[in-house]
Amino acid sequence: MSETIEVSVVGGSGYVGGELLRLLLFHPQVSVRQVTSARLSGRFVYTAHPTLRGTTSLQFTHPDALDRADVLFLALPHGEAAKAIDMFADKAERIIDCSADFRLRDTESYEQWYGTPHPAPEWLSRFVYGLPERNRAAIADSRFVSGVGCNATVTTLALAPLVDGGLLDHAVADVKVGSSEAGAKASPSSHHPERSGSVRSFKPTGHRHQAEVVQELGRGFRLDFSVTSVELVRGALVTAHCFLKESTSERDLWTLYRKHYAHEPFVRLVSGKSGIHRYPEPKLLAGSNYCDIGFATDELSTANRVVTIAAIDNLMKGAAGTAVQCMNIMLGFDETSGLGFPGLHPI
Amino acid sequence: MSHSAECPECAAKVTLPDDAVVGEIVQCAECGVELEAVSQDPWKFARAPEEEEDWGE
């Protein structure tokens, strides 16, 4: 498809909104019509997103003045999209919601993990979970696509070949995450003297993204899931201790992962035997849409332990990048369009 | 004519230059390991010795 489409970003003053703009303003088949923010209405977008200075004359629009567009990206705080989804659906043929509101498929699961009844339960079945590596065909056919949880994305992609291959008995996954996962609003835990230099066990059990991993990979294995906040701004790295049903060599893992991700444009296998960066490193992925995945077998284990390691930029593959990838799929564009940046080194 | 053989570490196909000889060192494009061609007809690789990282011991 070679046409140019008009998109708007609703709730564009946060970090995900900023990343969406950085991608969409340079996308060859996209024109950004509006970016909304109640707080910054009338201000130039570089007020919130300083790297966009000189690249666009866009100003934030008040949400009440939202016009029709071909695609709406919703980058609102969790809970806000669901409350107004009927109104948004009248404004655009297609919606990509980056919040957690429409990620889970059933109301029971939503209530269990989010602690309140879903505000628009009739909409859950209309949304497709927006992870192309799991749901590409459904995304292509859908008008409504959800965002993905960053910690869920990195874990799902790390484990998927083992689960789909019927090899995984159980996994203990610890995700180390950067501070940008907490969003652009300050909180006591983001205060510099508290945050700087910390390795904080943010959610040792009960993290909501666990529900997304189970939804996408099924219940054929047991998952234990912890999240630790570390000294990064961007990035998520999962170290998953995977206990397999049978002994598997590293060569076999290479073959399995290579086959599983052979046609995925944003998954790279990084399980090196030489050099400094032998395994996935989130720092190198800042600004890129790649998910790097590696693995190592434990030759001494009596429980068939394999450690899988995966890294992403949480704001990109874990949010805005995947959302734009979904837009490309929904519109029939080249899936990689606007997403070619490979990251920086050194950084 | 170029030659190729399987990487003993990751099973990727590794290509040798036309004028390769036994003892040639090449790098696997996929897993990055350095390989030494240890025989020909057919070509076979073994992992070339490398210095390991050693932190905290």
Side-chain angles (χ1 to χ4, degrees):
Chain A
M1 187 181 274
S2 60
E3 66 182 273
T4 297
I5 59 161
E6 280 194 325
V7 309
S8 292
V9 178
V10 179
S13 64
Y15 292 146
V16 173
E19 283 297 274
L20 284 169
L21 284 173
R22 182 176 70 83
L23 298 170
L24 294 168
L25 286 169
F26 297 95
H27 192 294
Q29 287 159 285
V30 166
S31 168
V32 180
R33 182 177 174 84
Q34 290 178 305
V35 190
T36 76
S37 167
R39 184 172 58 88
L40 297 175
S41 176
R43 309 284 296 272
F44 287 102
V45 295
Y46 70 74
T47 311
H49 309 302
T51 57
L52 300 181
R53 186 190 295 268
T55 67
T56 176
S57 57
L58 272 172
Q59 294 163 275
F60 286 108
T61 302
H62 194 278
D64 293 346
L66 182 66
D67 294 332
R68 280 195 63 79
D70 296 310
V71 178
L72 282 186
F73 286 89
L74 308 182
L76 294 162
H78 296 321
E80 297 300 312
K83 284 182 202 161
I85 190 63
D86 289 303
M87 181 273 287
F88 290 130
D90 284 342
K91 299 280 188 187
E93 182 65 18
R94 293 181 176 86
I95 290 175
I96 300 169
D97 173 40
C98 296
S99 80
D101 290 7
F102 299 105
R103 292 178 194 163
L104 300 181
R105 294 280 62 79
D106 67 272
T107 51
E108 225 171 83
S109 180
Y110 182 89
E111 197 164 338
Q112 179 194 342
W113 289 93
Y114 287 87
T116 56
H118 196 280
E122 69 280 10
W123 276 89
L124 286 181
S125 61
R126 302 178 71 178
F127 273 80
V128 171
Y129 186 76
L131 188 60
E133 290 78 5
R134 300 302 290 174
N135 302 318
R136 182 169 282 105
I139 291 167
D141 290 340
S142 182
R143 289 179 56 202
F144 307 107
V145 169
S146 81
V148 289
C150 42
N151 306 317
T153 296
V154 73
T155 306
T156 299
L157 294 178
L159 301 182
L162 297 176
V163 176
D164 292 353
L167 287 171
L168 188 58
D169 180 75
H170 70 277
V172 180
D174 183 54
V175 191
K176 287 99 173 170
V177 302
S179 58
S180 61
E181 281 201 4
K185 252 188 196 159
S187 72
S189 66
S190 69
H191 189 45
H192 184 264
E194 305 295 342
R195 185 66 174 75
S196 179
S198 71
V199 182
R200 192 164 73 94
S201 286
F202 157 64
K203 204 75 178 165
T205 60
H207 195 287
R208 291 164 170 176
H209 289 182
Q210 183 171 345
E212 294 174 41
V213 180
V214 172
Q215 173 179 278
E216 293 308 303
L217 295 182
R219 296 183 181 275
F221 72 105
R222 196 184 88 213
L223 175 66
D224 298 309
F225 189 72
S226 301
V227 180
T228 306
S229 151
V230 297
E231 186 76 38
L232 281 172
V233 173
R234 283 174 187 251
L237 175 94
V238 66
T239 307
H241 302 266
C242 299
F243 299 91
L244 306 189
K245 292 172 183 167
E246 59 195 64
S247 176
T248 304
S249 72
E250 218 156 290
R251 273 169 60 92
D252 290 341
L253 290 175
W254 266 105
T255 303
L256 178 77
Y257 274 76
R258 189 183 283 132
K259 190 174 171 196
H260 193 94
Y261 288 124
H263 304 295
E264 290 301 340
F266 293 111
V267 177
R268 303 186 294 199
L269 301 185
V270 181
S271 203
K273 296 294 178 189
S274 62
I276 301 166
H277 299 288
R278 301 176 190 190
Y279 295 106
E281 162 63 74
K283 184 176 84 156
L284 302 178
L285 297 174
S288 95
N289 197 47
Y290 286 100
C291 176
D292 286 351
I293 302 176
F295 36 77
T297 52
D298 182 353
E299 306 292 340
L300 301 176
S301 173
T302 55
N304 301 324
R305 185 177 80 117
V306 165
V307 181
T308 59
I309 304 142
I312 58 170
D313 177 339
N314 54 295
L315 295 175
M316 282 293 295
K317 188 63 186 157
T322 288
V324 171
Q325 190 180 349
C326 286
M327 178 198 73
N328 288 337
I329 294 167
M330 292 165 87
L331 273 297
F333 298 156
D334 176 346
E335 188 170 329
T336 64
S337 202
L339 296 168
F341 181 64
L344 290 170
H345 179 261
I347 182 169
Chain B
M1 190 182 91
S2 65
H3 316 285
S4 65
E6 199 175 82
C7 171
E9 295 291 326
C10 77
K13 186 177 162 187
V14 178
T15 304
L16 282 151
D18 293 351
D19 55 355
V21 292
V22 170
E24 191 96 21
I25 302 289
V26 294
Q27 187 181 18
C28 173
E30 299 221 18
C31 72
V33 71
E34 288 212 326
L35 300 167
E36 180 181 352
V38 291
S39 67
Q40 74 183 95
D41 286 335
W43 286 96
K44 278 192 180 164
F45 291 121
R47 190 169 169 180
E50 287 182 76
E51 205 170 307
E52 296 233 359
E53 273 185 309
D54 185 6
W55 288 40
E57 288 181 28

